[in-house]
Amino acid sequence: MELTPGVVFSVGVLFQDGTALPPVTAFGLIADALEAAGDGAAAAAWRAQLATLGGPARRFVAVRHDGGALGAAAGFDLELRRDADGVAVATASVNAGADGDLEPAAAASPVGSLFAPPPEPTPTPARWPPLPIRGRPRPSPFATFLEQVELADDALLVPPIPGELRALRRLVRAERAQGERGRDELVFHVYELPPRVDPTVTNRAPRVATLVPGDRLPESYAALGPDELGLFDERNRPLLPPAPLPGPPPYADVPVVILGSGDELRALVIPVGPSGDHAPFEAGVHRLRFAIDRARWRSETADDVSRYRAASTRVVSW
């Protein structure tokens, strides 16, 4: 059904992970999924509906005893009385609209002229989950994906991305830190995936920004709590509810021997066993962590200024 201005309707979306999303967010996710599937025309049609989703509006609905709308042309005599002494200060006779709403007619009457216009709604970020869902809880189909997201030095290692999350472009990690005045404050570390990412392999999302109190924050980030991870598309729309950042996986250190080239631009990393002999890697997922900690000049204090320090982690599988 194509939506047109003036149509009154309710939209509720419940995705497979049991999360209720606002209509604007839900419509955007559906449009992104259609576009990823190659149906650009359908995606454009869904995005066109976003313009018809207005914000909250004041309504004055006349209902029957069973809660249903009374219907059109029902007449009412309105009388506005002063609270102090009960004296009527304005009266009007109005008819309900097609959906039983008296607001348009009342607003145009002498009674409506005494009301102040409704204030602009203040957007309040929803805290996930917004409402408990009745029935037996179902595990999220993205639980395995979230458990495999790994913090590695100054980046996040992102496992193969499910098809439902192809719009994923930005990951945000909230962390409690101590501010300049010694107060605890919430900071947001922002990580971004490369523009062209292969969703079938593990990708590295480097940290591109750290936002602190006073910086301009997208409203969607406010739903994140300490030590939680949020997944967002390129417009900072949430794709999933915030989830706790998983701890580091139990990797085992493997001794290696490194053979470098003469120009020091290439190297062979050879895994060895306890005896020092070559021991091939077993099939699975392996992390390669490269780190450097080298003096730049002599200094009494070995800090990040006098020493060159950097680290990077890559994930390989075979």
Side-chain angles (χ1 to χ4, degrees), residues 72-84:
F76 291 87
D77 292 328
L78 302 182
E79 191 175 74
L80 186 64
R81 293 181 176 271
R82 195 162 48 209
D83 183 68

Side-chain angles (χ1 to χ4, degrees), residues 158 161 166 168-169 193-204:
V158 183
I161 302 172
R166 288 181 180 176
L168 177 62
R169 289 297 178 269
L193 288 168
R196 294 184 178 180
V197 61
D198 184 354
T200 64
V201 300
T202 296
N203 289 274
R204 183 175 181 272

Side-chain angles (χ1 to χ4, degrees), residues 1-11 23 27 45-54:
M1 179 185 70
E2 183 177 356
L3 306 182
T4 57
V7 173
V8 178
F9 68 100
S10 298
V11 176
F27 277 36
W46 274 96
R47 291 196 174 98
Q49 305 302 319
L50 292 175
T52 67
L53 294 177

Side-chain angles (χ1 to χ4, degrees), residues 12-297:
V13 179
L14 187 66
F15 287 96
Q16 292 179 351
D17 60 351
T19 299
L21 296 178
V24 173
T25 303
F27 277 36
L29 290 177
I30 294 172
D32 291 341
L34 290 170
E35 188 172 35
D39 194 346
W46 274 96
R47 291 196 174 98
Q49 305 302 319
L50 292 175
T52 67
L53 294 177
R58 186 172 63 186
R59 300 184 68 204
F60 184 15
V61 180
V63 298
R64 301 188 302 268
H65 67 281
D66 60 354
L70 198 57
F76 291 87
D77 292 328
L78 302 182
E79 191 175 74
L80 186 64
R81 293 181 176 271
R82 195 162 48 209
D83 183 68
D85 52 10
V87 175
V89 295
T91 59
S93 296
V94 298
N95 293 328
D99 57 349
D101 190 5
L102 294 169
E103 174 65 23
S109 71
V111 172
S113 64
L114 299 179
F115 285 98
E120 290 293 329
T122 302
T124 302
R127 179 63 190 160
W128 297 97
L131 290 174
I133 299 175
R134 297 179 179 178
R136 180 179 301 176
R138 294 178 299 173
S140 168
F142 309 112
T144 302
F145 170 79
L146 292 170
E147 290 173 356
Q148 295 177 357
V149 176
E150 181 183 346
L151 178 62
D153 302 318
D154 211 22
L156 286 178
L157 302 180
V158 183
I161 302 172
E164 297 88 345
L165 297 179
R166 288 181 180 176
L168 177 62
R169 289 297 178 269
R170 191 167 294 114
L171 300 94
V172 180
R173 177 172 65 92
E175 181 183 35
R176 184 75 69 183
Q178 193 173 36
E180 297 180 356
R181 299 183 179 180
R183 299 178 180 177
D184 285 345
E185 57 187 26
L186 201 60
V187 299
F188 299 88
H189 303 289
V190 183
Y191 305 83
E192 288 192 355
L193 288 168
R196 294 184 178 180
V197 61
D198 184 354
T200 64
V201 300
T202 296
N203 289 274
R204 183 175 181 272
R207 183 171 64 178
V208 297
T210 295
L211 305 178
V212 300
D215 292 340
R216 186 174 181 180
L217 294 175
E219 294 180 0
S220 53
Y221 291 4
L224 291 170
D227 300 320
E228 286 187 336
L229 180 69
L231 309 182
F232 302 89
D233 64 8
E234 61 183 358
R235 300 179 185 177
N236 284 318
R237 294 177 297 187
L239 302 179
L240 287 179
L245 184 68
Y251 281 99
D253 292 336
V254 177
V256 297
V257 172
I258 300 178
L259 301 178
S261 61
D263 55 7
E264 298 184 352
L265 297 178
R266 303 171 184 83
L268 291 176
V269 180
I270 304 174
V272 297
S275 62
D277 297 330
H278 176 223
F281 279 142
E282 297 181 358
V285 179
H286 304 272
R287 287 197 318 170
L288 297 179
R289 185 174 187 272
F290 303 90
I292 187 172
D293 187 352
R294 185 177 63 190
R296 302 174 66 188
W297 56 75

